[in-house]
Amino acid sequence: MALTTITFPEIHLQPRDAHKLRGYFGELFRAHSPLLHNHYEDGTYRQQYPLVQYKVLDGTPTLVGLGDGANLLVQLFLHIRELDIDGRHYAVQAKHIVHQPAPIGFCAELHRYRFATRWMPLNQENHREYQQLDPAGQRAQLTRILTNNLVALLKAAGAYAPDLPRLLVHLALGEPVVTQFKNQPMLGFGGEFIANVLVPDGLGLGKSVARGFGAVQRVD
């Protein structure tokens, strides 16, 4: 499956600005595709894994597209001339694009990944459950959630089937950090995980990956 990554190396933003990137591009190119903002014309929300994601990685504004989202970003690349973040205009003097096949799926080897941005696994319902568990239970719950996150990505990439090998996941997370999301406190996690899957750098796992959360980078 194709993966497109667009970066703006001369513009520096904060990780919290990722959702503003999404708002800007989603509005700028609203007529092109619901993949850019995950809303259909009737206002309903697109529930599937986001195929266009907006991130700030190491201070650099970054757009990542997968599959149809990858092809869409290629079409729009030449039309990106500036960024408007909270009314502050950034002229785009340099922009880089990489469009290439991305291996995604099960593999025989285990690979180690780190979360380049905070992973947000919990919603209101499972957050309450998480708070009531002992440390071992919390770890088991987070492992189940990450496993489901990986399955969602594999399904979006057409790389999942029930008869495939069992997904193996091992988590090594730091202490949770309270992260503001839509003016609500949410738990975000940093750290690493090991799994028997191939995941391209930059793609997100968990909640709100379109807004920059849960971006992974392969370590080994």
Side-chain angles (χ1 to χ4, degrees):
M1 178 165 284
L3 183 79
T4 297
T5 303
I6 298 175
T7 55
F8 305 90
E10 296 184 353
I11 299 175
H12 184 85
L13 297 178
Q14 299 297 321
R16 63 177 177 270
D17 293 325
H19 79 279
K20 300 173 186 176
L21 279 174
R22 178 179 180 270
Y24 172 68
F25 283 111
E27 187 61 35
L28 181 66
F29 298 121
R30 174 167 290 276
H32 284 76
S33 172
L35 296 181
L36 292 166
H37 43 74
N38 280 325
H39 287 86
Y40 296 108
E41 290 185 3
D42 62 2
T44 58
Y45 185 74
R46 181 181 176 276
Q47 297 288 344
Q48 294 93 340
Y49 181 84
L51 299 181
V52 177
Q53 304 174 14
Y54 307 86
K55 309 163 192 292
V56 178
L57 302 177
D58 296 325
T60 301
T62 303
L63 279 59
V64 179
L66 178 67
D68 290 342
N71 298 327
L72 180 62
L73 290 186
V74 170
Q75 297 170 25
L76 300 179
F77 178 71
L78 293 178
H79 300 283
I80 302 173
R81 299 182 176 89
E82 70 170 8
L83 302 184
D84 182 349
I85 306 298
D86 268 353
R88 184 172 181 179
H89 293 266
Y90 299 85
V92 174
Q93 304 294 340
K95 53 186 175 180
H96 298 163
I97 184 169
V98 177
H99 179 73
Q100 60 189 3
I104 301 177
F106 286 90
C107 57
E109 303 83 15
L110 293 171
H111 295 287
R112 185 158 59 101
Y113 301 89
R114 75 177 186 92
F115 287 110
T117 58
R118 297 288 181 193
W119 176 50
M120 287 209 309
L122 301 172
N123 54 34
Q124 288 185 338
E125 181 178 341
N126 56 24
H127 179 268
R128 287 192 291 269
E129 178 186 349
Y130 176 86
Q131 299 283 40
Q132 297 171 0
L133 295 171
D134 60 19
Q138 291 176 344
R139 182 184 183 86
Q141 183 194 38
L142 294 176
T143 300
R144 287 194 302 271
I145 292 172
L146 180 58
T147 300
N148 291 336
N149 293 166
L150 288 166
V151 168
L153 171 58
L154 294 175
K155 287 181 176 179
Y160 180 82
D163 59 346
L164 287 172
R166 186 167 67 93
L167 190 57
L168 304 176
V169 175
H170 175 76
L171 273 171
L173 300 176
E175 290 297 317
V177 175
V178 176
T179 300
Q180 290 297 319
F181 175 70
K182 295 183 178 180
N183 296 319
Q184 296 293 325
M186 302 286 288
L187 289 183
F189 295 82
E192 299 183 347
F193 67 92
I194 296 172
N196 59 335
V197 292
L198 289 172
V199 179
D201 285 354
L203 285 178
L205 299 172
K207 289 177 58 65
S208 298
V209 299
R211 299 169 180 259
F213 288 95
V216 302
Q217 289 181 342
R218 187 167 154 183
V219 176
D220 63 351

mmCIF file of all heavy atoms in Angstrom, residues 119 138-148 169-171:
data_model
loop_
_atom_site.group_PDB
_atom_site.id
_atom_site.type_symbol
_atom_site.label_atom_id
_atom_site.label_comp_id
_atom_site.label_asym_id
_atom_site.label_seq_id
_atom_site.Cartn_x
_atom_site.Cartn_y
_atom_site.Cartn_z
ATOM 1 N N TRP A 119 0.651 8.401 22.951
ATOM 2 C CA TRP A 119 -0.376 7.421 22.608
ATOM 3 C C TRP A 119 -1.550 7.609 23.550
ATOM 4 O O TRP A 119 -1.385 7.615 24.783
ATOM 5 C CB TRP A 119 0.214 6.016 22.742
ATOM 6 C CG TRP A 119 -0.749 4.883 22.524
ATOM 7 C CD1 TRP A 119 -1.606 4.712 21.470
ATOM 8 C CD2 TRP A 119 -0.941 3.753 23.380
ATOM 9 N NE1 TRP A 119 -2.310 3.547 21.612
ATOM 10 C CE2 TRP A 119 -1.926 2.928 22.770
ATOM 11 C CE3 TRP A 119 -0.366 3.346 24.586
ATOM 12 C CZ2 TRP A 119 -2.358 1.738 23.339
ATOM 13 C CZ3 TRP A 119 -0.793 2.148 25.157
ATOM 14 C CH2 TRP A 119 -1.781 1.363 24.544
ATOM 15 N N GLN A 138 -3.934 -3.091 34.638
ATOM 16 C CA GLN A 138 -3.781 -1.948 33.741
ATOM 17 C C GLN A 138 -2.902 -2.301 32.549
ATOM 18 O O GLN A 138 -3.214 -1.953 31.404
ATOM 19 C CB GLN A 138 -3.194 -0.755 34.503
ATOM 20 C CG GLN A 138 -4.148 -0.156 35.530
ATOM 21 C CD GLN A 138 -3.510 0.957 36.328
ATOM 22 O OE1 GLN A 138 -2.282 1.116 36.352
ATOM 23 N NE2 GLN A 138 -4.324 1.763 36.992
ATOM 24 N N ARG A 139 -1.812 -2.996 32.831
ATOM 25 C CA ARG A 139 -0.909 -3.393 31.746
ATOM 26 C C ARG A 139 -1.609 -4.320 30.759
ATOM 27 O O ARG A 139 -1.470 -4.174 29.533
ATOM 28 C CB ARG A 139 0.323 -4.081 32.338
ATOM 29 C CG ARG A 139 1.368 -4.502 31.304
ATOM 30 C CD ARG A 139 2.502 -5.267 31.972
ATOM 31 N NE ARG A 139 3.533 -5.614 31.020
ATOM 32 C CZ ARG A 139 4.546 -4.829 30.678
ATOM 33 N NH1 ARG A 139 4.663 -3.620 31.236
ATOM 34 N NH2 ARG A 139 5.441 -5.217 29.799
ATOM 35 N N ALA A 140 -2.386 -5.268 31.283
ATOM 36 C CA ALA A 140 -3.116 -6.191 30.415
ATOM 37 C C ALA A 140 -4.148 -5.443 29.572
ATOM 38 O O ALA A 140 -4.322 -5.727 28.378
ATOM 39 C CB ALA A 140 -3.793 -7.280 31.248
ATOM 40 N N GLN A 141 -4.831 -4.480 30.190
ATOM 41 C CA GLN A 141 -5.827 -3.704 29.452
ATOM 42 C C GLN A 141 -5.167 -2.903 28.326
ATOM 43 O O GLN A 141 -5.657 -2.887 27.183
ATOM 44 C CB GLN A 141 -6.573 -2.753 30.393
ATOM 45 C CG GLN A 141 -7.671 -1.958 29.689
ATOM 46 C CD GLN A 141 -8.161 -0.790 30.516
ATOM 47 O OE1 GLN A 141 -7.374 -0.131 31.185
ATOM 48 N NE2 GLN A 141 -9.456 -0.522 30.467
ATOM 49 N N LEU A 142 -4.052 -2.236 28.623
ATOM 50 C CA LEU A 142 -3.367 -1.444 27.609
ATOM 51 C C LEU A 142 -2.818 -2.326 26.481
ATOM 52 O O LEU A 142 -2.824 -1.923 25.315
ATOM 53 C CB LEU A 142 -2.249 -0.630 28.244
ATOM 54 C CG LEU A 142 -2.691 0.459 29.231
ATOM 55 C CD1 LEU A 142 -1.484 1.130 29.869
ATOM 56 C CD2 LEU A 142 -3.567 1.498 28.528
ATOM 57 N N THR A 143 -2.370 -3.518 26.826
ATOM 58 C CA THR A 143 -1.884 -4.439 25.793
ATOM 59 C C THR A 143 -3.015 -4.853 24.865
ATOM 60 O O THR A 143 -2.837 -4.921 23.637
ATOM 61 C CB THR A 143 -1.239 -5.678 26.453
ATOM 62 O OG1 THR A 143 -0.138 -5.262 27.275
ATOM 63 C CG2 THR A 143 -0.727 -6.646 25.396
ATOM 64 N N ARG A 144 -4.192 -5.127 25.423
ATOM 65 C CA ARG A 144 -5.353 -5.469 24.592
ATOM 66 C C ARG A 144 -5.718 -4.304 23.672
ATOM 67 O O ARG A 144 -6.023 -4.511 22.486
ATOM 68 C CB ARG A 144 -6.558 -5.828 25.474
ATOM 69 C CG ARG A 144 -6.464 -7.183 26.159
ATOM 70 C CD ARG A 144 -7.823 -7.601 26.713
ATOM 71 N NE ARG A 144 -8.357 -6.628 27.666
ATOM 72 C CZ ARG A 144 -8.116 -6.643 28.972
ATOM 73 N NH1 ARG A 144 -7.337 -7.586 29.496
ATOM 74 N NH2 ARG A 144 -8.661 -5.736 29.761
ATOM 75 N N ILE A 145 -5.678 -3.097 24.224
ATOM 76 C CA ILE A 145 -6.054 -1.934 23.422
ATOM 77 C C ILE A 145 -5.059 -1.715 22.291
ATOM 78 O O ILE A 145 -5.452 -1.464 21.141
ATOM 79 C CB ILE A 145 -6.153 -0.680 24.317
ATOM 80 C CG1 ILE A 145 -7.341 -0.810 25.280
ATOM 81 C CG2 ILE A 145 -6.289 0.583 23.473
ATOM 82 C CD1 ILE A 145 -7.408 0.283 26.326
ATOM 83 N N LEU A 146 -3.762 -1.820 22.581
ATOM 84 C CA LEU A 146 -2.769 -1.646 21.521
ATOM 85 C C LEU A 146 -2.919 -2.731 20.456
ATOM 86 O O LEU A 146 -2.779 -2.462 19.256
ATOM 87 C CB LEU A 146 -1.357 -1.659 22.101
ATOM 88 C CG LEU A 146 -0.235 -1.478 21.070
ATOM 89 C CD1 LEU A 146 -0.400 -0.172 20.308
ATOM 90 C CD2 LEU A 146 1.136 -1.538 21.733
ATOM 91 N N THR A 147 -3.212 -3.956 20.878
ATOM 92 C CA THR A 147 -3.449 -5.027 19.920
ATOM 93 C C THR A 147 -4.604 -4.669 18.989
ATOM 94 O O THR A 147 -4.514 -4.830 17.763
ATOM 95 C CB THR A 147 -3.753 -6.347 20.651
ATOM 96 O OG1 THR A 147 -2.637 -6.690 21.488
ATOM 97 C CG2 THR A 147 -3.991 -7.480 19.663
ATOM 98 N N ASN A 148 -5.683 -4.142 19.555
ATOM 99 C CA ASN A 148 -6.827 -3.723 18.741
ATOM 100 C C ASN A 148 -6.457 -2.557 17.829
ATOM 101 O O ASN A 148 -6.938 -2.472 16.680
ATOM 102 C CB ASN A 148 -8.003 -3.343 19.639
ATOM 103 C CG ASN A 148 -8.610 -4.538 20.348
ATOM 104 O OD1 ASN A 148 -8.490 -5.666 19.884
ATOM 105 N ND2 ASN A 148 -9.247 -4.299 21.481
ATOM 106 N N VAL A 169 2.266 -8.807 21.155
ATOM 107 C CA VAL A 169 2.516 -7.419 21.559
ATOM 108 C C VAL A 169 3.096 -7.397 22.958
ATOM 109 O O VAL A 169 2.592 -8.073 23.865
ATOM 110 C CB VAL A 169 1.213 -6.585 21.532
ATOM 111 C CG1 VAL A 169 1.467 -5.180 22.064
ATOM 112 C CG2 VAL A 169 0.649 -6.520 20.120
ATOM 113 N N HIS A 170 4.165 -6.639 23.139
ATOM 114 C CA HIS A 170 4.745 -6.413 24.458
ATOM 115 C C HIS A 170 4.955 -4.918 24.637
ATOM 116 O O HIS A 170 5.593 -4.263 23.805
ATOM 117 C CB HIS A 170 6.083 -7.141 24.609
ATOM 118 C CG HIS A 170 6.775 -6.851 25.909
ATOM 119 N ND1 HIS A 170 6.375 -7.413 27.106
ATOM 120 C CD2 HIS A 170 7.834 -6.038 26.199
ATOM 121 C CE1 HIS A 170 7.155 -6.969 28.075
ATOM 122 N NE2 HIS A 170 8.042 -6.134 27.555
ATOM 123 N N LEU A 171 4.427 -4.368 25.738
ATOM 124 C CA LEU A 171 4.480 -2.930 25.992
ATOM 125 C C LEU A 171 5.544 -2.585 27.018
ATOM 126 O O LEU A 171 5.768 -3.328 27.976
ATOM 127 C CB LEU A 171 3.128 -2.445 26.528
ATOM 128 C CG LEU A 171 2.046 -2.046 25.526
ATOM 129 C CD1 LEU A 171 0.741 -1.808 26.268
ATOM 130 C CD2 LEU A 171 2.444 -0.805 24.773
#
